[in-house]
Amino acid sequence: MQVMSKINRRSSFWVSLISVVLGLLVGAIAMIAAGYSPILAYGALFQNALFQPYDLGETIRTISPLILTGLAVALAFRTGLFNIGVEGQFIMGQLAAVIVGLKLHLPPIVHALVAVIAGGLAGAIWAYLPGLLKAKRGVHEVITTIMLNFIALYLSNVLVRTWLTSGADSTDRIADTASLQWSVLSAMFGGARIHFGIIIALLMAFVMYYLLWRTKLGFELRAVGYNPHASEYAGMRVDRNIILSMMISGFFAGLAGASELLGTQGYLAIQGGFTGIGFDGIAVALLGGNTPIGVVLSAVLFGVLTYGGTNMQFAAQVPFEVIRIVFAAIILFVAANVSGWILGWFRSLKKGRGA
Amino acid sequence: MLNTLTNVLQTTVLYSTPLILAAMGGLYSERSGVVNIALEGLMTIGAFAAAVTTIFTGNPWLGLLAAMVAGILFALPHAVASITFKADQVVSGVAINFLAFGLSVYLVKHLYNGEAQTPVVQETLSRMPIPGLNSIPVIGPALFNAFPTTYLAFVIVAASYFILYYTPFGMRLRAVGEHPKAAETAGVSVIRMRYVAVMISGALAGLGGAGLSIAIGSEFNQSTVAGQGFIALAALIFGKWHPLGAFFAALFFGFAVSLALIGQLFGWTQYVPSEVLNMLPYVLTILALAGFVGRAEAPAAIGKPYEKDSR
């Protein structure tokens, strides 16, 4: 708990910036060691992610689910919980959305809305169990959510194979009425797959801000995260708040899955492994200092790196995985508060010179 | 019938081996008070190092050694971040998993012209029958005609049990995980102990990964490990952080992993989808944690960074 609040406090802009620069530096070292040019690669990365309407549209598409999974992790962090199960809740969101998209027949807009909400609720339900076990039996949520990630993966695969199709690898496309795509928006960005997911994501960033800092429930959730014992003493229901916090977090994650499915893919396929978007949310939340605005900004950065990274392969022949190395380094630097040490060292240097 | 049983037992032992090794790795780290959800990443880097080294040198034993060294090297950043810099151990573990996965696939693509997998490893470890014992009916072919990694795993379990419960080193290690302040007062360096424990865990998890790429399988790709590090972690918890408990849990989970394969072989998957069998270890772990299989007691100081001046 103490560690969590320490992470929350380290939200200053400089700390994040230093971590990002160090992370990119680690990536550069990995590239130099393997004989690639980091200047060429990073140049291509940023250029390809931002300067053509199509690429900008695709970058925004990449950013949208990262905002939502980042918010999911950040909200749990704020209340003293570590939701590693965002990936599983994301999968459940996809699953619920594809079921609604395939099985229900509803008018346009209503259909999409129902499918999105179903996705969010599926994520929330999937997060209920770890919340309950944490609150009632003190079981650490990290382990239960890891296990639930795998269960969600296999559950989704078996349902695709046996119920949603008869033995096929992927479902039919969802009904057009459930789609989150909007041709006008797509045309503005040169035919990119940008969709309403970004609106949902930004809306949820506002919801998180409003909920945590403008409502009584939000105050309680933050208080529990800051000091569960004091909160209990003050008459707050710690159990209920833990469960609620996990469920809201799962709701965001489920929305991410639903909007990816309804907006980008349009169908659900059997997956050999995780999408990774849920885990990226951990990096996004940490770098964003667990605030809604921080999450949006760091999702933008991670989205640019992710989308630009795929193009980097063509321009500089650098394997995309170098971006994952950069992500890992950033998480490690933020978690170990390396920037804090560097800043502290800098200050003592300044002081030393002043004396 | 007897043949089927032999078959089941043999596959179970085969698939349990990497889990046993990684779970033993996790045991040392977690018993010293450092959460290790990085097992997955440590196995990944071990599997990678073993495959590549064996391809380059043609010697699988050097592959095993490389896997251990790589595991130790990758456990080090986890130790530095979580012990010295007092980072959240779970966050640090997540970062190691990211790093191991990213770096191994990056290097594979770099080494093999952009391919996401290594070429087939020609000189993999081969089964080593123990003459006499291997002709015992049913258990003989399963236990005594196994890969060297399997024998290694069995020896390590026995050794770990002895080390943790009957040597001063083991008692200190457990003390550091239960009550670090008391251990420090008794003259044990908590920091040094935890470093050693995390590095042992890297070596063993790396070895487990090697079993996947140069014994059971014969290449390294993105899905070589595919969650087995997390199953090993589950086995550790299911086995209540005890070497023998973790060993039997890993055997059981190995059985569950092999069920999906055996099920296909005997046509059981007509009745139970293989995905449901794959879910089994994870469902059981949740049930165990929920208290249906007896309460799991984690080391008391687990997850808490050690502050010298705190009480």
Side-chain angles (χ1 to χ4, degrees):
Chain A
M1 296 299 174
Q2 279 170 341
V3 182
M4 296 289 177
S5 49
K6 220 190 280 173
I7 291 172
N8 288 334
R9 262 182 267 129
R10 276 181 222 146
S11 54
S12 95
F13 172 75
W14 287 107
V15 168
S16 298
L17 190 71
I18 292 173
S19 300
V20 169
V21 171
L22 288 176
L24 288 171
L25 208 63
V26 169
I29 292 168
M31 285 190 249
I32 294 169
Y36 305 110
S37 159
I39 296 169
L40 198 65
Y42 283 141
L45 186 157
F46 286 105
Q47 198 177 10
N48 284 321
L50 298 172
F51 293 107
Q52 293 290 327
Y54 174 81
D55 291 313
L56 190 60
E58 284 289 305
T59 303
I60 294 173
R61 175 187 66 77
T62 314
I63 291 167
S64 327
L66 290 176
I67 295 178
L68 285 167
T69 55
L71 290 176
V73 178
L75 185 119
F77 257 141
R78 275 281 167 200
T79 56
L81 296 166
F82 195 170
N83 184 4
I84 265 196
V86 170
E87 182 75 31
Q89 293 141 18
F90 179 94
I91 293 173
M92 295 311 285
Q94 284 186 312
L95 188 62
V98 82
I99 291 170
V100 171
L102 287 171
K103 304 268 172 184
L104 288 187
H105 300 285
L106 293 166
I109 303 180
V110 177
H111 197 178
L113 209 61
V114 171
V116 166
I117 292 170
L121 290 178
I125 292 168
W126 207 244
Y128 169 73
L129 187 66
L132 181 78
L133 286 177
K134 168 87 175 188
K136 301 290 179 196
R137 297 211 176 222
V139 179
H140 204 295
E141 71 280 8
V142 164
I143 305 297
T144 39
T145 52
I146 288 177
M147 301 303 141
L148 282 168
N149 283 343
F150 284 97
I151 297 173
L153 180 68
Y154 291 122
L155 184 66
S156 148
N157 284 351
V158 72
L159 289 183
V160 167
R161 198 165 58 79
T162 60
W163 180 50
L164 294 169
T165 73
S166 39
D169 281 348
S170 66
T171 67
D172 291 336
R173 288 193 71 83
I174 50 157
D176 282 342
T177 44
S179 175
L180 284 180
Q181 281 168 2
W182 187 32
S183 51
V184 178
L185 192 65
S186 183
M188 272 165 59
F189 288 95
R193 289 172 295 168
I194 182 171
H195 54 81
F196 277 123
I198 185 67
I199 312 284
I200 297 175
L202 293 175
L203 193 68
M204 288 305 130
F206 180 75
V207 166
M208 174 175 163
Y209 164 76
Y210 191 84
L211 178 77
L212 282 187
W213 282 276
R214 289 285 176 271
T215 65
K216 179 169 164 282
L217 173 68
F219 174 76
E220 282 198 19
L221 290 177
R222 284 186 296 128
V224 168
Y226 201 76
N227 191 335
H229 303 295
S231 309
E232 181 110 56
Y233 190 70
M236 295 177 192
R237 291 192 49 198
V238 173
D239 303 14
R240 191 203 59 164
N241 286 347
I242 286 175
I243 296 173
L244 258 179
S245 154
M246 276 308 273
M247 289 184 77
I248 301 168
S249 170
F251 184 78
F252 288 153
L255 284 184
S259 69
E260 269 305 274
L261 189 116
L262 302 167
T264 308
Q265 295 148 239
Y267 62 88
L268 187 58
I270 288 184
Q271 285 159 329
F274 293 118
T275 62
I277 299 175
F279 299 119
D280 290 349
I282 298 167
V284 170
L286 278 176
L287 186 67
N290 301 317
T291 64
I293 184 80
V295 164
V296 171
L297 290 178
S298 74
V300 168
L301 176 81
F302 282 102
V304 166
L305 291 177
T306 305
Y307 180 72
T310 49
N311 285 336
M312 198 172 68
Q313 269 172 307
F314 301 108
Q317 284 77 50
V318 180
F320 167 77
E321 279 69 23
V322 77
I323 294 303
R324 308 227 69 91
I325 299 173
V326 173
F327 283 12
I330 292 176
I331 305 181
L332 212 54
F333 290 141
V334 175
N337 193 19
V338 171
S339 332
W341 290 76
I342 292 177
L343 282 174
W345 177 74
F346 234 54
R347 273 184 211 121
S348 67
L349 211 69
K350 260 190 196 163
K351 244 184 228 162
R353 210 176 284 156
Chain B
M1 183 59 209
L2 222 57
N3 239 340
T4 311
L5 201 62
T6 310
N7 235 321
V8 171
L9 209 60
Q10 197 168 27
T11 353
T12 298
V13 170
L14 181 69
Y15 283 96
S16 302
T17 299
L19 300 178
I20 295 169
L21 287 166
M24 286 305 129
L27 181 75
Y28 283 90
S29 163
E30 301 221 330
R31 262 322 200 22
S32 82
V34 181
V35 176
N36 204 342
I37 64 165
L39 288 179
E40 175 85 5
L42 297 171
M43 280 183 94
T44 304
I45 211 72
F48 160 80
V52 171
T53 307
T54 310
I55 290 170
F56 272 114
T57 61
N59 185 339
W61 295 97
L62 287 178
L64 284 186
L65 190 70
M68 288 177 76
V69 173
I72 293 173
L73 285 178
F74 263 75
L76 260 179
H78 181 48
V80 173
S82 59
I83 302 168
T84 303
F85 283 82
K86 303 185 176 71
D88 184 285
Q89 296 169 2
V90 173
V91 177
S92 163
V94 169
I96 297 299
N97 286 338
F98 259 63
L99 188 65
F101 192 77
L103 192 70
S104 57
V105 179
Y106 172 75
L107 287 176
V108 164
K109 283 188 178 171
H110 170 68
L111 290 171
Y112 303 106
N113 306 316
E115 298 281 336
Q117 74 266 345
T118 65
V120 174
V121 183
Q122 303 292 342
E123 318 280 336
T124 50
L125 292 167
S126 42
R127 287 180 181 275
M128 273 169 54
I130 296 180
L133 291 175
N134 71 334
S135 47
I136 302 173
V138 187
I139 62 162
L143 290 182
F144 302 112
N145 182 24
F147 286 101
T149 39
T150 302
Y151 301 131
L152 207 56
F154 289 156
V155 171
I156 287 171
V157 172
S160 298
Y161 179 67
F162 179 76
I163 290 171
L164 282 177
Y165 290 92
Y166 294 98
T167 66
F169 170 79
M171 300 199 194
R172 285 183 194 136
L173 191 140
R174 286 187 295 128
V176 160
E178 295 294 338
H179 202 313
K181 194 73 211 170
E184 187 86 46
T185 313
V188 182
S189 165
V190 175
I191 304 286
R192 196 188 307 153
M193 205 56 169
R194 287 189 172 171
Y195 261 92
V196 170
V198 171
M199 280 155 75
I200 295 175
S201 106
L204 294 182
L207 213 50
L212 294 171
S213 65
I214 61 169
I216 298 179
S218 55
E219 67 160 35
F220 173 81
N221 62 43
Q222 320 201 21
S223 52
T224 295
V225 178
Q228 301 207 52
F230 290 116
I231 300 192
L233 184 69
L236 178 62
I237 296 163
F238 201 75
K240 298 179 181 173
W241 288 271
H242 188 281
L244 297 181
F247 168 70
F248 285 113
L251 265 183
F252 179 75
F253 287 170
F255 172 68
V257 172
S258 65
L259 262 188
L261 263 120
I262 301 164
Q264 261 159 12
L265 207 65
F266 296 105
W268 300 342
T269 37
Q270 272 176 283
Y271 313 107
V272 189
S274 56
E275 290 90 348
V276 174
L277 298 175
N278 285 326
M279 269 183 219
L280 208 61
Y282 307 110
V283 174
L284 285 171
T285 305
I286 290 183
L287 290 178
L289 285 167
F292 292 111
V293 196
R295 196 128 177 99
E297 280 294 333
I302 200 163
K304 294 183 191 110
Y306 178 63
E307 314 259 359
K308 259 199 164 147
D309 11 280
S310 78
R311 277 183 300 149

